Coordinates of all heavy atoms in Angstrom, one line a residue:
M1 N 16.0 -54.7 -0.7 CA 15.3 -53.5 -0.8 C 14.8 -53.5 -2.3 O 15.5 -53.8 -3.2 CB 16.3 -52.4 -0.5 CG 15.5 -51.0 -0.3 SD 16.7 -49.8 0.2 CE 17.2 -49.2 -1.5
A2 N 13.6 -53.0 -2.6 CA 13.0 -52.9 -3.9 C 13.8 -51.8 -4.6 O 14.2 -50.7 -4.1 CB 11.5 -52.5 -3.9
V3 N 14.0 -52.1 -5.9 CA 14.8 -51.0 -6.7 C 13.8 -50.7 -7.8 O 13.3 -51.5 -8.5 CB 16.0 -51.8 -7.2 CG1 16.7 -50.7 -8.1 CG2 17.0 -52.0 -6.0
P4 N 13.7 -49.4 -8.2 CA 13.0 -49.0 -9.4 C 13.3 -49.6 -10.7 O 14.5 -49.6 -10.9 CB 13.0 -47.5 -9.4 CG 13.6 -47.0 -8.2 CD 14.3 -48.2 -7.6
S5 N 12.3 -50.2 -11.4 CA 12.8 -51.0 -12.6 C 13.1 -50.0 -13.8 O 13.8 -50.4 -14.7 CB 11.7 -51.9 -13.0 OG 10.5 -51.3 -13.3
R6 N 12.6 -48.9 -13.6 CA 12.9 -47.9 -14.7 C 12.9 -46.5 -14.2 O 12.4 -46.1 -13.2 CB 11.6 -47.9 -15.7 CG 11.7 -46.9 -16.8 CD 11.1 -47.6 -18.1 NE 11.0 -46.5 -19.2 CZ 12.2 -46.2 -19.8 NH1 13.4 -46.6 -19.4 NH2 12.1 -45.2 -20.8
H7 N 13.9 -45.7 -14.7 CA 14.1 -44.2 -14.2 C 12.9 -43.4 -14.7 O 12.2 -43.7 -15.8 CB 15.4 -43.8 -14.6 CG 15.5 -43.2 -16.1 ND1 15.6 -44.1 -17.1 CD2 15.4 -42.0 -16.5 CE1 15.5 -43.2 -18.2 NE2 15.4 -42.0 -17.8
H8 N 12.8 -42.3 -13.9 CA 11.6 -41.3 -14.4 C 12.2 -40.5 -15.3 O 13.3 -40.0 -15.3 CB 11.2 -40.5 -13.2 CG 10.3 -41.2 -12.1 ND1 9.6 -40.6 -11.1 CD2 10.0 -42.5 -12.1 CE1 9.0 -41.4 -10.5 NE2 9.1 -42.7 -11.0
S9 N 11.5 -40.3 -16.4 CA 11.8 -39.5 -17.6 C 11.9 -37.9 -17.1 O 11.2 -37.7 -16.2 CB 11.1 -39.6 -18.9 OG 9.7 -39.2 -18.5
R10 N 12.6 -37.1 -17.8 CA 12.6 -35.7 -17.5 C 11.2 -35.2 -17.5 O 10.7 -34.3 -16.8 CB 13.4 -35.0 -18.5 CG 14.9 -34.8 -17.9 CD 15.8 -34.2 -19.1 NE 17.0 -34.7 -18.9 CZ 18.0 -34.0 -18.0 NH1 17.7 -33.0 -17.4 NH2 19.2 -34.5 -18.1
S11 N 10.5 -35.6 -18.6 CA 9.1 -35.2 -18.9 C 8.3 -35.5 -17.7 O 7.5 -34.7 -17.1 CB 8.5 -35.8 -20.1 OG 7.2 -35.6 -20.2
R12 N 8.4 -36.8 -17.1 CA 7.4 -37.1 -16.0 C 8.0 -36.3 -14.7 O 7.0 -35.9 -14.0 CB 7.8 -38.6 -15.8 CG 6.9 -39.2 -14.7 CD 7.0 -40.6 -14.6 NE 6.5 -41.1 -13.4 CZ 6.1 -42.3 -13.1 NH1 6.4 -43.3 -14.1 NH2 5.6 -42.7 -12.1
V13 N 9.1 -36.1 -14.5 CA 9.7 -35.3 -13.3 C 9.2 -33.9 -13.5 O 8.6 -33.4 -12.5 CB 11.3 -35.4 -13.3 CG1 11.8 -34.3 -12.3 CG2 11.8 -36.7 -12.9
N14 N 9.3 -33.3 -14.7 CA 8.8 -31.9 -14.9 C 7.3 -31.8 -14.7 O 6.9 -30.8 -14.2 CB 9.3 -31.4 -16.2 CG 10.9 -31.2 -16.3 OD1 11.4 -31.2 -15.2 ND2 11.4 -31.1 -17.4
K15 N 6.5 -32.9 -15.2 CA 5.2 -32.7 -15.0 C 4.8 -32.7 -13.6 O 3.9 -32.0 -13.1 CB 4.5 -33.9 -15.7 CG 4.2 -33.7 -17.1 CD 3.4 -34.7 -17.7 CE 4.0 -35.5 -18.8 NZ 3.2 -36.7 -19.2
R16 N 5.4 -33.6 -12.7 CA 5.3 -33.6 -11.3 C 5.4 -32.2 -10.7 O 4.8 -31.8 -9.8 CB 6.0 -34.7 -10.6 CG 5.7 -34.8 -9.1 CD 6.6 -35.9 -8.5 NE 8.0 -35.5 -8.5 CZ 9.0 -36.3 -8.8 NH1 8.7 -37.5 -9.5 NH2 10.2 -36.0 -8.8
R17 N 6.7 -31.7 -11.1 CA 7.1 -30.5 -10.5 C 6.3 -29.2 -10.9 O 6.5 -28.1 -10.4 CB 8.7 -30.2 -10.8 CG 9.5 -31.1 -10.1 CD 10.9 -31.1 -10.2 NE 11.8 -32.1 -9.6 CZ 13.1 -32.3 -9.9 NH1 13.7 -31.6 -10.7 NH2 13.6 -33.3 -9.2
S18 N 5.5 -29.4 -12.0 CA 4.7 -28.1 -12.4 C 3.8 -27.7 -11.4 O 3.2 -26.6 -11.4 CB 4.1 -28.6 -13.7 OG 3.0 -29.4 -13.4
H19 N 3.4 -28.5 -10.4 CA 2.5 -28.2 -9.4 C 3.3 -27.5 -8.1 O 2.7 -27.2 -7.1 CB 1.8 -29.4 -8.9 CG 0.9 -29.9 -10.0 ND1 -0.3 -29.3 -10.5 CD2 1.1 -31.0 -10.8 CE1 -0.7 -30.1 -11.4 NE2 0.1 -31.2 -11.6
M20 N 4.6 -27.4 -8.2 CA 5.4 -26.9 -7.0 C 5.6 -25.5 -7.0 O 6.3 -25.0 -6.2 CB 6.7 -27.8 -7.0 CG 6.5 -29.1 -6.6 SD 8.1 -30.0 -6.6 CE 7.7 -31.7 -6.4
A21 N 5.2 -24.8 -8.1 CA 5.5 -23.3 -8.1 C 4.8 -22.7 -6.9 O 3.8 -23.0 -6.4 CB 4.9 -22.8 -9.4
L22 N 5.5 -21.5 -6.4 CA 5.0 -20.9 -5.3 C 4.0 -19.8 -5.8 O 4.3 -19.1 -6.8 CB 6.2 -20.1 -4.6 CG 7.2 -21.1 -3.8 CD1 8.4 -20.3 -3.4 CD2 6.5 -21.9 -2.7
K23 N 3.0 -19.6 -5.0 CA 2.1 -18.6 -5.4 C 2.4 -17.3 -4.4 O 2.7 -17.5 -3.4 CB 0.5 -19.0 -5.1 CG 0.0 -19.9 -6.2 CD -1.4 -20.3 -6.0 CE -1.8 -21.5 -6.8 NZ -2.8 -22.3 -6.2
L24 N 1.9 -16.1 -5.2 CA 2.1 -14.8 -4.4 C 1.0 -14.9 -3.4 O -0.1 -15.2 -3.6 CB 1.9 -13.7 -5.3 CG 3.1 -13.2 -6.1 CD1 2.7 -12.1 -7.0 CD2 4.1 -12.7 -5.2
S25 N 1.4 -14.4 -2.2 CA 0.3 -14.3 -1.2 C -0.7 -13.2 -1.4 O -0.3 -12.2 -2.3 CB 0.9 -14.1 0.2 OG 1.7 -12.8 0.2
N26 N -1.8 -13.1 -1.0 CA -2.8 -12.3 -1.3 C -2.7 -10.9 -0.6 O -3.0 -10.6 0.5 CB -4.2 -12.9 -0.8 CG -5.3 -12.0 -1.3 OD1 -5.3 -11.4 -2.3 ND2 -6.5 -12.1 -0.6
L27 N -2.0 -10.0 -1.3 CA -1.6 -8.7 -0.8 C -2.6 -7.7 -1.4 O -3.1 -7.8 -2.4 CB -0.2 -8.3 -1.2 CG 0.9 -9.1 -0.8 CD1 2.3 -8.8 -1.2 CD2 0.9 -9.1 0.8
I28 N -2.8 -6.6 -0.5 CA -3.7 -5.4 -0.8 C -2.9 -4.2 -0.8 O -1.9 -4.2 -0.2 CB -5.0 -5.4 0.0 CG1 -4.7 -5.2 1.5 CG2 -5.9 -6.5 -0.3 CD1 -5.7 -4.7 2.3
K29 N -3.4 -3.1 -1.2 CA -2.8 -1.7 -1.2 C -3.2 -1.1 0.1 O -4.4 -1.1 0.4 CB -3.2 -1.1 -2.4 CG -2.0 -0.8 -3.4 CD -2.3 0.1 -4.4 CE -1.2 0.3 -5.4 NZ -1.5 1.3 -6.4
C30 N -2.2 -0.6 0.8 CA -2.6 0.3 2.1 C -3.3 1.5 1.6 O -2.9 2.1 0.6 CB -1.3 0.6 2.7 SG -1.5 1.8 4.1
S31 N -4.4 1.7 2.2 CA -5.2 2.9 1.7 C -4.5 4.2 2.1 O -4.8 5.3 1.7 CB -6.6 2.9 2.6 OG -6.4 2.7 3.9
H32 N -3.5 4.2 3.1 CA -2.9 5.5 3.4 C -1.5 5.6 2.7 O -1.4 6.7 2.2 CB -2.6 5.5 5.0 CG -2.0 6.6 5.5 ND1 -0.8 6.8 5.9 CD2 -2.6 7.9 5.7 CE1 -0.5 8.1 6.3 NE2 -1.6 8.7 6.0
C33 N -0.7 4.7 2.6 CA 0.5 4.9 2.0 C 0.8 4.2 0.7 O 1.7 4.5 -0.1 CB 1.7 4.5 3.0 SG 1.9 2.7 3.2
G34 N -0.2 3.2 0.3 CA -0.1 2.5 -0.9 C 0.9 1.4 -1.1 O 1.0 0.8 -2.1
E35 N 1.5 1.1 0.1 CA 2.4 -0.2 0.1 C 1.5 -1.4 0.0 O 0.3 -1.4 0.4 CB 3.2 -0.2 1.4 CG 4.4 0.7 1.5 CD 5.5 0.3 0.8 OE1 5.6 -0.9 0.3 OE2 6.5 1.0 0.6
R36 N 2.2 -2.5 -0.5 CA 1.4 -3.8 -0.6 C 1.5 -4.4 0.8 O 2.5 -4.7 1.3 CB 2.1 -4.6 -1.7 CG 2.4 -4.0 -3.0 CD 1.3 -4.5 -4.0 NE 1.5 -5.8 -4.3 CZ 0.5 -6.6 -4.8 NH1 -0.6 -6.0 -5.0 NH2 0.8 -7.8 -5.0
I37 N 0.3 -4.7 1.4 CA 0.3 -5.2 2.8 C -0.7 -6.5 2.9 O -1.5 -6.7 2.0 CB -0.2 -4.1 3.7 CG1 -1.5 -3.5 3.4 CG2 0.9 -3.1 4.0 CD1 -2.2 -2.8 4.4
L38 N -0.6 -7.2 3.9 CA -1.6 -8.3 4.2 C -2.9 -7.7 4.6 O -3.0 -6.7 5.3 CB -1.1 -9.2 5.3 CG 0.3 -10.0 5.0 CD1 0.8 -10.6 6.3 CD2 -0.1 -11.1 4.0
P39 N -4.0 -8.3 4.1 CA -5.3 -7.7 4.3 C -5.7 -8.0 5.8 O -5.2 -8.8 6.5 CB -6.3 -8.5 3.5 CG -5.5 -9.8 3.1 CD -4.1 -9.5 3.2
H40 N -6.5 -7.1 6.5 CA -7.1 -7.2 7.8 C -6.0 -7.0 8.8 O -6.0 -7.5 10.0 CB -7.8 -8.5 8.0 CG -8.9 -8.8 7.0 ND1 -10.0 -8.0 6.9 CD2 -8.9 -9.7 6.0 CE1 -10.8 -8.5 6.0 NE2 -10.0 -9.6 5.4
Q41 N -4.9 -6.3 8.5 CA -3.9 -6.1 9.4 C -3.3 -4.7 9.3 O -3.4 -4.0 8.3 CB -2.7 -7.1 9.1 CG -2.9 -8.4 9.7 CD -1.8 -9.4 9.4 OE1 -0.7 -9.1 9.4 NE2 -2.2 -10.7 9.0
V42 N -2.7 -4.2 10.4 CA -2.2 -2.8 10.5 C -1.0 -2.7 9.5 O -0.2 -3.7 9.4 CB -1.7 -2.5 12.0 CG1 -1.1 -1.1 12.0 CG2 -2.9 -2.5 12.8
C43 N -0.9 -1.7 8.6 CA 0.1 -1.4 7.8 C 1.4 -1.3 8.6 O 1.6 -0.4 9.4 CB -0.2 -0.2 7.0 SG 1.2 0.2 5.9
P44 N 2.4 -2.2 8.4 CA 3.8 -2.0 9.0 C 4.6 -0.8 8.6 O 5.6 -0.5 9.2 CB 4.3 -3.3 8.8 CG 3.8 -3.8 7.5 CD 2.4 -3.3 7.4
F45 N 4.2 -0.3 7.4 CA 4.9 0.9 6.9 C 4.6 2.3 7.5 O 5.5 3.0 7.7 CB 4.9 0.8 5.4 CG 5.4 -0.4 4.7 CD1 4.5 -1.4 4.3 CD2 6.8 -0.8 4.6 CE1 4.9 -2.7 3.9 CE2 7.2 -1.9 4.0 CZ 6.2 -2.9 3.6
C46 N 3.1 2.4 7.6 CA 2.8 3.7 8.1 C 2.0 3.5 9.4 O 1.8 4.6 10.0 CB 1.9 4.4 7.1 SG 0.5 3.6 6.6
G47 N 1.6 2.4 9.8 CA 1.0 2.2 11.0 C -0.5 2.6 11.1 O -1.1 2.7 12.1
Y48 N -1.1 2.6 9.8 CA -2.5 3.0 9.7 C -3.3 1.7 9.5 O -2.9 0.7 9.0 CB -2.7 3.9 8.6 CG -2.5 5.3 8.9 CD1 -1.3 5.8 9.2 CD2 -3.7 6.3 8.9 CE1 -1.1 7.2 9.6 CE2 -3.4 7.7 9.2 CZ -2.2 8.1 9.6 OH -2.0 9.4 9.9
Y49 N -4.6 1.8 10.0 CA -5.5 0.7 9.7 C -6.9 1.4 9.6 O -7.3 2.1 10.5 CB -5.6 -0.3 10.9 CG -6.5 -1.4 10.6 CD1 -6.1 -2.5 9.7 CD2 -7.7 -1.5 11.1 CE1 -6.9 -3.5 9.3 CE2 -8.6 -2.7 10.8 CZ -8.2 -3.6 10.0 OH -9.0 -4.7 9.7
K50 N -7.6 1.1 8.5 CA -8.9 1.8 8.2 C -8.8 3.4 8.3 O -9.6 3.9 9.1 CB -10.0 1.3 9.0 CG -10.3 -0.1 8.6 CD -11.6 -0.6 9.2 CE -12.2 -1.9 8.6 NZ -13.4 -2.4 9.3
E51 N -7.8 4.0 7.8 CA -7.7 5.4 7.7 C -7.4 6.0 9.1 O -7.5 7.1 9.3 CB -8.9 6.1 7.1 CG -9.3 5.6 5.7 CD -8.4 6.0 4.7 OE1 -7.6 7.0 4.7 OE2 -8.2 5.2 3.7
K52 N -7.1 5.3 10.1 CA -6.8 5.7 11.4 C -5.4 5.3 11.7 O -4.9 4.2 11.5 CB -7.6 5.2 12.4 CG -8.9 6.1 12.6 CD -9.7 5.4 13.7 CE -11.2 5.8 13.6 NZ -12.1 4.9 14.5
E53 N -4.5 6.2 12.5 CA -3.2 5.8 12.8 C -3.4 4.9 14.1 O -4.0 5.3 15.2 CB -2.4 7.0 13.1 CG -0.9 6.6 13.4 CD 0.1 7.7 13.5 OE1 -0.4 9.0 13.5 OE2 1.2 7.4 13.5
V54 N -3.0 3.7 14.0 CA -3.2 2.7 15.2 C -1.7 2.5 16.0 O -1.7 2.5 17.2 CB -3.6 1.4 14.6 CG1 -3.8 0.4 15.8 CG2 -4.8 1.6 13.8
I55 N -0.7 2.5 15.3 CA 0.6 2.4 15.9 C 1.6 3.5 15.4 O 1.5 3.9 14.3 CB 1.2 1.0 15.7 CG1 1.4 0.6 14.2 CG2 0.5 -0.2 16.4 CD1 2.3 -0.6 13.9
D56 N 2.4 3.8 16.4 CA 3.4 4.9 15.9 C 4.7 4.0 15.3 O 5.5 3.5 16.1 CB 3.9 5.6 17.1 CG 4.8 6.8 16.9 OD1 5.1 7.1 15.6 OD2 5.3 7.4 17.8
V57 N 4.9 4.2 14.0 CA 6.0 3.4 13.4 C 7.4 4.1 13.7 O 8.4 3.6 13.5 CB 5.8 3.4 12.0 CG1 4.7 2.4 11.6 CG2 5.5 4.6 11.2
F58 N 7.3 5.4 14.2 CA 8.6 6.1 14.4 C 9.2 5.7 15.9 O 10.3 6.1 16.1 CB 8.4 7.6 14.3 CG 8.0 8.0 12.8 CD1 6.7 8.4 12.6 CD2 8.8 7.8 11.8 CE1 6.4 8.9 11.4 CE2 8.4 8.1 10.6 CZ 7.2 8.7 10.3
K59 N 8.3 5.1 16.7 CA 8.9 4.9 18.0 C 9.9 3.7 17.9 O 9.9 2.9 17.2 CB 7.7 4.3 18.8 CG 7.7 4.3 20.3 CD 6.5 3.9 21.0 CE 6.8 3.9 22.5 NZ 5.6 3.2 23.2
G60 N 11.0 4.0 18.7 CA 12.0 2.9 18.8 C 13.0 3.2 17.6 O 14.0 2.4 17.5
L61 N 13.0 4.2 16.8 CA 13.8 4.5 15.7 C 14.8 5.6 16.0 O 14.6 6.4 17.0 CB 13.1 4.9 14.4 CG 12.3 3.9 13.7 CD1 11.6 4.6 12.6 CD2 13.0 2.6 13.3
T62 N 16.0 5.5 15.6 CA 17.0 6.7 15.8 C 16.6 7.8 15.0 O 15.7 7.8 14.2 CB 18.4 6.2 15.6 OG1 18.5 6.1 14.1 CG2 18.9 5.0 16.3
K63 N 17.2 9.0 15.4 CA 16.7 10.2 14.7 C 17.0 10.2 13.2 O 16.1 10.6 12.4 CB 17.6 11.4 15.3 CG 16.9 12.8 15.1 CD 17.9 13.9 15.8 CE 17.2 15.3 15.4 NZ 18.1 16.2 15.9
K64 N 18.2 9.4 12.9 CA 18.5 9.3 11.5 C 17.6 8.4 10.7 O 17.1 8.8 9.6 CB 19.9 8.7 11.4 CG 20.6 9.0 10.1 CD 22.0 8.4 10.1 CE 22.7 8.5 8.7 NZ 24.0 8.0 8.8
E65 N 17.1 7.2 11.3 CA 16.2 6.4 10.7 C 14.8 7.0 10.6 O 14.1 6.7 9.6 CB 16.0 5.0 11.6 CG 17.3 4.2 11.6 CD 17.2 3.1 12.6 OE1 16.5 3.2 13.7 OE2 17.9 2.0 12.3
R66 N 14.5 7.7 11.5 CA 13.2 8.5 11.6 C 13.0 9.5 10.3 O 12.0 9.5 9.7 CB 13.1 9.2 12.9 CG 11.6 9.8 13.2 CD 11.5 10.3 14.6 NE 11.9 9.1 15.5 CZ 11.9 9.3 16.8 NH1 11.6 10.5 17.3 NH2 12.3 8.4 17.6
K67 N 14.1 10.1 10.2 CA 14.2 11.2 9.1 C 14.1 10.4 7.7 O 13.4 10.8 6.8 CB 15.5 11.9 9.1 CG 15.5 13.2 8.5 CD 16.8 14.1 8.8 CE 16.7 15.4 8.0 NZ 18.0 16.1 8.2
K68 N 14.7 9.3 7.6 CA 14.7 8.6 6.3 C 13.3 7.9 6.1 O 12.8 8.0 5.0 CB 15.7 7.3 6.5 CG 16.1 6.6 5.1 CD 17.1 5.5 5.4 CE 17.1 4.6 4.3 NZ 17.7 3.4 4.6
K69 N 12.7 7.4 7.1 CA 11.3 6.9 7.0 C 10.4 8.0 6.6 O 9.4 7.8 5.8 CB 11.0 6.2 8.3 CG 9.6 5.5 8.3 CD 9.6 4.0 8.6 CE 8.4 3.3 8.4 NZ 8.5 2.0 8.4
Q70 N 10.5 9.1 7.3 CA 9.5 10.3 7.0 C 9.6 10.6 5.5 O 8.6 10.9 4.9 CB 9.9 11.5 7.9 CG 9.0 12.6 7.9 CD 7.8 12.3 8.8 OE1 7.9 12.1 9.9 NE2 6.7 12.4 8.2
K71 N 10.9 10.6 5.0 CA 11.1 11.0 3.6 C 10.5 10.0 2.7 O 9.8 10.4 1.8 CB 12.6 11.0 3.4 CG 13.1 12.1 2.2 CD 14.6 12.0 2.1 CE 15.0 12.7 0.9 NZ 16.4 12.6 0.7
E72 N 10.6 8.7 3.1 CA 10.0 7.7 2.2 C 8.5 7.8 2.1 O 7.9 7.7 1.0 CB 10.4 6.1 2.9 CG 11.6 5.7 2.5 CD 12.0 4.4 3.2 OE1 11.1 3.8 3.8 OE2 13.1 4.0 3.3
I73 N 7.7 8.0 3.3 CA 6.4 8.2 3.4 C 6.0 9.4 2.5 O 5.0 9.3 1.7 CB 5.9 8.3 4.8 CG1 6.1 7.0 5.4 CG2 4.4 8.8 4.8 CD1 5.8 7.0 7.0
E74 N 6.8 10.5 2.5 CA 6.3 11.7 1.8 C 6.6 11.5 0.4 O 5.7 11.9 -0.5 CB 7.1 12.9 2.3 CG 6.6 13.6 3.6 CD 7.4 14.6 4.1 OE1 8.1 15.3 3.3 OE2 7.3 14.9 5.3
E75 N 7.5 10.7 -0.1 CA 7.7 10.5 -1.5 C 6.5 9.7 -2.1 O 6.2 9.9 -3.3 CB 9.1 9.6 -1.6 CG 10.2 10.5 -1.8 CD 11.6 9.6 -2.0 OE1 11.4 8.5 -2.2 OE2 12.6 10.1 -1.7
E76 N 6.0 8.8 -1.3 CA 4.9 8.0 -1.9 C 3.5 8.7 -2.0 O 2.7 8.2 -2.7 CB 4.7 6.8 -1.0 CG 5.6 5.6 -1.5 CD 6.0 4.6 -0.5 OE1 5.2 4.3 0.6 OE2 7.1 4.0 -0.5
K77 N 3.4 9.8 -1.2 CA 2.3 10.5 -1.4 C 2.1 11.4 -2.7 O 3.0 11.6 -3.3 CB 2.1 11.6 -0.2 CG 1.5 10.9 1.1 CD 1.5 11.8 2.3 CE 1.2 11.2 3.5 NZ 1.2 12.0 4.6
Ligands
ZN1 ZN1 0.4 2.1 4.9

């Protein structure tokens, strides 16, 4: 089996790894609640898309969770 004749220097390793940094995904602000969301998709926080309510985000939540979420949305306004 071939064996490397010389070890990689820290500098060389770091130079290679300089391209491995993760980039932030392209997020936009929700026009209704202001949360950072993916573009061209319904806001998962308030259920709005293009100023219209598309999904009911309170469906499937308990009374306690619903109250908490309602409070969060009102705080952001
Ligand atoms: Zn929203």
Side-chain angles (χ1 to χ4, degrees):
M1 200 178 88
V3 176
S5 59
R6 178 140 175 72
H7 83 280
H8 283 188
S9 67
R10 270 175 208 274
S11 169
R12 187 173 163 164
V13 169
N14 290 342
K15 273 192 242 171
R16 183 181 69 236
R17 290 181 184 167
S18 73
H19 301 285
M20 293 179 184
L22 295 174
K23 274 184 201 151
L24 274 177
S25 59
N26 188 25
L27 296 175
I28 58 159
K29 252 186 177 180
C30 171
S31 57
H32 186 250
C33 70
E35 281 284 351
R36 310 253 298 154
I37 56 165
L38 290 169
H40 309 291
Q41 283 177 37
V42 175
C43 175
F45 302 98
C46 65
Y48 274 67
Y49 185 76
K50 285 194 173 180
E51 306 292 333
K52 276 186 201 162
E53 190 169 6
V54 183
I55 54 168
D56 185 7
V57 287
F58 298 111
K59 204 178 173 188
L61 295 177
T62 64
K63 201 177 173 185
K64 199 175 176 184
E65 288 169 333
R66 193 169 303 178
K67 206 172 174 185
K68 195 180 165 195
K69 183 129 189 164
Q70 188 81 51
K71 208 175 169 187
E72 277 176 13
I73 289 173
E74 276 175 28
E75 270 176 20
E76 270 153 30
K77 274 180 190 171

